[in-house]
PDB file of all heavy atoms in Angstrom:
ATOM      1  N   ALA A  80      13.934 -21.236  26.000  1.00 92.00           N
ATOM      2  CA  ALA A  80      13.962 -22.405  25.118  1.00 92.00           C
ATOM      3  C   ALA A  80      12.546 -22.934  24.949  1.00 92.00           C
ATOM      4  O   ALA A  80      11.734 -22.851  25.865  1.00 92.00           O
ATOM      5  CB  ALA A  80      14.853 -23.487  25.711  1.00 92.00           C
ATOM      6  N   MET A  81      12.280 -23.486  23.772  1.00 93.00           N
ATOM      7  CA  MET A  81      10.967 -24.058  23.522  1.00 93.00           C
ATOM      8  C   MET A  81      11.118 -25.285  22.639  1.00 93.00           C
ATOM      9  O   MET A  81      11.681 -25.201  21.545  1.00 93.00           O
ATOM     10  CB  MET A  81      10.064 -23.043  22.849  1.00 93.00           C
ATOM     11  CG  MET A  81       8.666 -23.520  22.659  1.00 93.00           C
ATOM     12  SD  MET A  81       7.666 -22.119  22.128  1.00 93.00           S
ATOM     13  CE  MET A  81       6.078 -22.775  22.472  1.00 93.00           C
ATOM     14  N   VAL A  82      10.632 -26.404  23.125  1.00 95.00           N
ATOM     15  CA  VAL A  82      10.667 -27.632  22.334  1.00 95.00           C
ATOM     16  C   VAL A  82       9.488 -27.573  21.370  1.00 95.00           C
ATOM     17  O   VAL A  82       8.345 -27.493  21.796  1.00 95.00           O
ATOM     18  CB  VAL A  82      10.612 -28.887  23.227  1.00 95.00           C
ATOM     19  CG1 VAL A  82      10.610 -30.145  22.380  1.00 95.00           C
ATOM     20  CG2 VAL A  82      11.782 -28.890  24.201  1.00 95.00           C
ATOM     21  N   VAL A  83       9.795 -27.583  20.076  1.00 95.00           N
ATOM     22  CA  VAL A  83       8.758 -27.394  19.069  1.00 95.00           C
ATOM     23  C   VAL A  83       8.547 -28.614  18.182  1.00 95.00           C
ATOM     24  O   VAL A  83       7.625 -28.635  17.366  1.00 95.00           O
ATOM     25  CB  VAL A  83       9.056 -26.160  18.181  1.00 95.00           C
ATOM     26  CG1 VAL A  83       9.053 -24.884  19.015  1.00 95.00           C
ATOM     27  CG2 VAL A  83      10.377 -26.325  17.438  1.00 95.00           C
ATOM     28  N   ALA A  84       9.416 -29.628  18.335  1.00 97.00           N
ATOM     29  CA  ALA A  84       9.292 -30.811  17.473  1.00 97.00           C
ATOM     30  C   ALA A  84       9.922 -32.019  18.153  1.00 97.00           C
ATOM     31  O   ALA A  84      10.839 -31.883  18.969  1.00 97.00           O
ATOM     32  CB  ALA A  84       9.982 -30.564  16.133  1.00 97.00           C
ATOM     33  N   VAL A  85       9.404 -33.190  17.806  1.00 97.00           N
ATOM     34  CA  VAL A  85       9.978 -34.445  18.302  1.00 97.00           C
ATOM     35  C   VAL A  85      10.149 -35.396  17.120  1.00 97.00           C
ATOM     36  O   VAL A  85       9.396 -35.346  16.149  1.00 97.00           O
ATOM     37  CB  VAL A  85       9.089 -35.109  19.391  1.00 97.00           C
ATOM     38  CG1 VAL A  85       8.942 -34.207  20.596  1.00 97.00           C
ATOM     39  CG2 VAL A  85       7.723 -35.481  18.845  1.00 97.00           C
ATOM     40  N   ALA A  86      11.169 -36.250  17.224  1.00 97.00           N
ATOM     41  CA  ALA A  86      11.417 -37.239  16.175  1.00 97.00           C
ATOM     42  C   ALA A  86      11.788 -38.564  16.817  1.00 97.00           C
ATOM     43  O   ALA A  86      12.604 -38.602  17.749  1.00 97.00           O
ATOM     44  CB  ALA A  86      12.541 -36.778  15.251  1.00 97.00           C
ATOM     45  N   ASP A  87      11.179 -39.633  16.350  1.00 97.00           N
ATOM     46  CA  ASP A  87      11.527 -40.965  16.804  1.00 97.00           C
ATOM     47  C   ASP A  87      11.054 -41.960  15.752  1.00 97.00           C
ATOM     48  O   ASP A  87       9.978 -41.774  15.166  1.00 97.00           O
ATOM     49  CB  ASP A  87      10.884 -41.278  18.158  1.00 97.00           C
ATOM     50  CG  ASP A  87      11.620 -42.381  18.901  1.00 97.00           C
ATOM     51  OD1 ASP A  87      11.726 -43.508  18.365  1.00 97.00           O
ATOM     52  OD2 ASP A  87      12.098 -42.115  20.020  1.00 97.00           O
ATOM     53  N   VAL A  88      11.845 -43.004  15.526  1.00 96.00           N
ATOM     54  CA  VAL A  88      11.437 -44.030  14.556  1.00 96.00           C
ATOM     55  C   VAL A  88      10.288 -44.869  15.089  1.00 96.00           C
ATOM     56  O   VAL A  88       9.537 -45.449  14.316  1.00 96.00           O
ATOM     57  CB  VAL A  88      12.617 -44.951  14.154  1.00 96.00           C
ATOM     58  CG1 VAL A  88      13.678 -44.158  13.419  1.00 96.00           C
ATOM     59  CG2 VAL A  88      13.210 -45.649  15.357  1.00 96.00           C
ATOM     60  N   ASP A  89      10.132 -44.913  16.409  1.00 96.00           N
ATOM     61  CA  ASP A  89       9.037 -45.636  17.046  1.00 96.00           C
ATOM     62  C   ASP A  89       7.858 -44.668  17.191  1.00 96.00           C
ATOM     63  O   ASP A  89       7.930 -43.714  17.970  1.00 96.00           O
ATOM     64  CB  ASP A  89       9.494 -46.160  18.405  1.00 96.00           C
ATOM     65  CG  ASP A  89       8.437 -46.952  19.143  1.00 96.00           C
ATOM     66  OD1 ASP A  89       7.229 -46.665  18.984  1.00 96.00           O
ATOM     67  OD2 ASP A  89       8.811 -47.852  19.914  1.00 96.00           O
ATOM     68  N   SER A  90       6.801 -44.890  16.437  1.00 96.00           N
ATOM     69  CA  SER A  90       5.673 -43.947  16.442  1.00 96.00           C
ATOM     70  C   SER A  90       5.022 -43.826  17.813  1.00 96.00           C
ATOM     71  O   SER A  90       4.515 -42.755  18.168  1.00 96.00           O
ATOM     72  CB  SER A  90       4.632 -44.350  15.397  1.00 96.00           C
ATOM     73  OG  SER A  90       4.106 -45.629  15.681  1.00 96.00           O
ATOM     74  N   ASN A  91       5.046 -44.889  18.617  1.00 96.00           N
ATOM     75  CA  ASN A  91       4.480 -44.801  19.971  1.00 96.00           C
ATOM     76  C   ASN A  91       5.308 -43.860  20.840  1.00 96.00           C
ATOM     77  O   ASN A  91       4.752 -43.029  21.564  1.00 96.00           O
ATOM     78  CB  ASN A  91       4.407 -46.188  20.619  1.00 96.00           C
ATOM     79  CG  ASN A  91       3.387 -47.083  19.941  1.00 96.00           C
ATOM     80  OD1 ASN A  91       2.345 -46.625  19.503  1.00 96.00           O
ATOM     81  ND2 ASN A  91       3.703 -48.366  19.839  1.00 96.00           N
ATOM     82  N   ARG A  92       6.623 -43.993  20.781  1.00 95.00           N
ATOM     83  CA  ARG A  92       7.487 -43.089  21.558  1.00 95.00           C
ATOM     84  C   ARG A  92       7.365 -41.657  21.052  1.00 95.00           C
ATOM     85  O   ARG A  92       7.406 -40.711  21.841  1.00 95.00           O
ATOM     86  CB  ARG A  92       8.934 -43.552  21.501  1.00 95.00           C
ATOM     87  CG  ARG A  92       9.185 -44.744  22.377  1.00 95.00           C
ATOM     88  CD  ARG A  92      10.643 -45.042  22.467  1.00 95.00           C
ATOM     89  NE  ARG A  92      10.844 -46.135  23.414  1.00 95.00           N
ATOM     90  CZ  ARG A  92      12.009 -46.577  23.769  1.00 95.00           C
ATOM     91  NH1 ARG A  92      13.106 -46.049  23.280  1.00 95.00           N
ATOM     92  NH2 ARG A  92      12.114 -47.559  24.634  1.00 95.00           N
ATOM     93  N   MET A  93       7.250 -41.499  19.749  1.00 96.00           N
ATOM     94  CA  MET A  93       7.093 -40.164  19.184  1.00 96.00           C
ATOM     95  C   MET A  93       5.812 -39.518  19.723  1.00 96.00           C
ATOM     96  O   MET A  93       5.817 -38.365  20.139  1.00 96.00           O
ATOM     97  CB  MET A  93       7.052 -40.228  17.660  1.00 96.00           C
ATOM     98  CG  MET A  93       6.931 -38.880  16.989  1.00 96.00           C
ATOM     99  SD  MET A  93       7.007 -38.971  15.193  1.00 96.00           S
ATOM    100  CE  MET A  93       5.703 -40.134  14.820  1.00 96.00           C
ATOM    101  N   THR A  94       4.727 -40.276  19.750  1.00 95.00           N
ATOM    102  CA  THR A  94       3.454 -39.763  20.271  1.00 95.00           C
ATOM    103  C   THR A  94       3.584 -39.424  21.753  1.00 95.00           C
ATOM    104  O   THR A  94       3.110 -38.370  22.191  1.00 95.00           O
ATOM    105  CB  THR A  94       2.333 -40.798  20.045  1.00 95.00           C
ATOM    106  OG1 THR A  94       2.200 -41.018  18.635  1.00 95.00           O
ATOM    107  CG2 THR A  94       1.011 -40.323  20.613  1.00 95.00           C
ATOM    108  N   LEU A  95       4.219 -40.302  22.520  1.00 95.00           N
ATOM    109  CA  LEU A  95       4.419 -40.026  23.950  1.00 95.00           C
ATOM    110  C   LEU A  95       5.298 -38.793  24.155  1.00 95.00           C
ATOM    111  O   LEU A  95       5.063 -37.993  25.061  1.00 95.00           O
ATOM    112  CB  LEU A  95       5.027 -41.242  24.646  1.00 95.00           C
ATOM    113  CG  LEU A  95       4.103 -42.450  24.790  1.00 95.00           C
ATOM    114  CD1 LEU A  95       4.875 -43.662  25.322  1.00 95.00           C
ATOM    115  CD2 LEU A  95       2.915 -42.136  25.697  1.00 95.00           C
ATOM    116  N   GLY A  96       6.298 -38.632  23.313  1.00 95.00           N
ATOM    117  CA  GLY A  96       7.154 -37.451  23.398  1.00 95.00           C
ATOM    118  C   GLY A  96       6.378 -36.177  23.126  1.00 95.00           C
ATOM    119  O   GLY A  96       6.508 -35.184  23.843  1.00 95.00           O
TER     120      GLY A  96
END
Side-chain angles (χ1 to χ4, degrees):
M81 185 170 197
V82 178
V83 297
V85 299
D87 202 301
V88 295
D89 181 329
S90 61
N91 292 324
R92 284 189 175 184
M93 182 176 55
T94 299
L95 290 172

